[in-house]
Amino acid sequence: MIAATGLRWILTLLFCALAAYGLWRAIAARSHPWTARLAHGLHAVMALAMFAMAWSWGMDLPATPQVIFFSAAAAWFVVAALALPSGPEPRLRVLVGMLPHAVMTAAMAWMVAAMSSGMSMGGAGAGQAHDMPGMDMSAPGALATMTLSGTGDRWSAGLLALVLLVLALWWLAEGFDTGRLAPRTTGGAASGGAVHAAWDVGCHGLMALGMAAMFVVMV
């Protein structure tokens, strides 16, 4: 999907690192509730899917299972916030905290569906760039090998890019504040829980930032 070699490799390294972190947190955080470990696992899967979409071979992966999976994941974040025990936190606060994750996974489902629709609309003429009505093939030097050509789709992609950028800045700022304000032990090191919380939020921000970049190249 991304023609610019430098940007493709930057996003590849970013998403692979985020996937590794998510898997590590899902496996190692045994003291956390299963819902938290599942959330880390879902973010790891999404990072792997974004890594694949940065490369041309990623467009050959089946789209329907991905759309179903990420749509279900988005619904799960909402259901988990509304139905599962919230502990001492107010239900509304839990829902507000989960909604950005639901938006991010829903945006992932939309991206896969939009790119798949553009590819399938080319049909038998996929071998000819101008016969693909849902997609535009990039000119030499462009950031993306394929971009959306429909006005509605391009506006939707631009809006999602803006939403994800806002989420990225919010999460990154929260991650920096969490790490900076973490309680200190006598040895001068921040407590492990606060450090993990800061890294978790920061990784969410980096994921949203990488996704925003992917949406921008679709426009």
Side-chain angles (χ1 to χ4, degrees):
M1 173 174 158
I2 298 179
T5 303
L7 178 60
R8 184 170 64 230
W9 276 106
I10 289 173
L11 292 178
T12 293
L13 295 174
L14 172 65
F15 289 129
C16 286
L18 291 173
Y21 180 81
L23 289 174
W24 172 68
R25 291 288 283 150
I27 295 172
R30 299 188 181 277
S31 61
H32 287 194
W34 67 269
T35 52
R37 297 197 303 272
L38 178 58
H40 285 302
L42 291 176
H43 283 107
V45 173
M46 185 160 58
L48 290 175
M50 294 299 297
F51 148 66
M53 288 191 69
W55 297 82
S56 58
W57 54 263
M59 301 304 300
D60 297 329
L61 299 177
T64 301
Q66 296 184 69
V67 174
I68 294 174
F69 176 85
F70 291 116
S71 297
W76 178 84
F77 280 114
V78 178
V79 171
L82 293 175
L84 296 180
S86 60
E89 289 190 276
R91 180 73 63 181
L92 181 59
R93 183 174 180 180
V94 175
L95 179 60
V96 170
M98 284 289 198
L99 279 179
H101 301 284
V103 169
M104 194 158 59
T105 47
M108 182 68 196
W110 185 92
M111 177 186 288
V112 175
M115 298 299 290
S116 174
S117 175
M119 291 291 290
S120 62
M121 288 175 68
Q128 298 178 356
H130 58 275
D131 288 337
M132 192 176 291
M135 308 287 291
D136 282 335
M137 303 303 290
S138 295
L143 288 178
T145 56
M146 292 174 290
T147 56
L148 298 171
S149 60
T151 303
D153 287 342
R154 297 184 70 178
W155 273 99
S156 298
L159 178 61
L160 287 171
L162 179 61
V163 170
L164 289 166
L165 179 60
V166 171
L167 289 177
L169 295 176
W170 174 44
W171 269 323
L172 289 173
E174 183 180 352
F176 282 124
D177 286 343
T178 301
R180 181 173 57 86
L181 300 176
R184 303 286 171 175
T185 65
T186 55
S191 64
V195 170
H196 286 155
W199 275 101
D200 289 347
V201 176
C203 285
H204 296 333
L206 291 175
M207 173 78 79
L209 186 61
M211 288 185 66
M214 294 284 282
F215 274 102
V216 167
V217 301
M218 293 175 65
V219 177

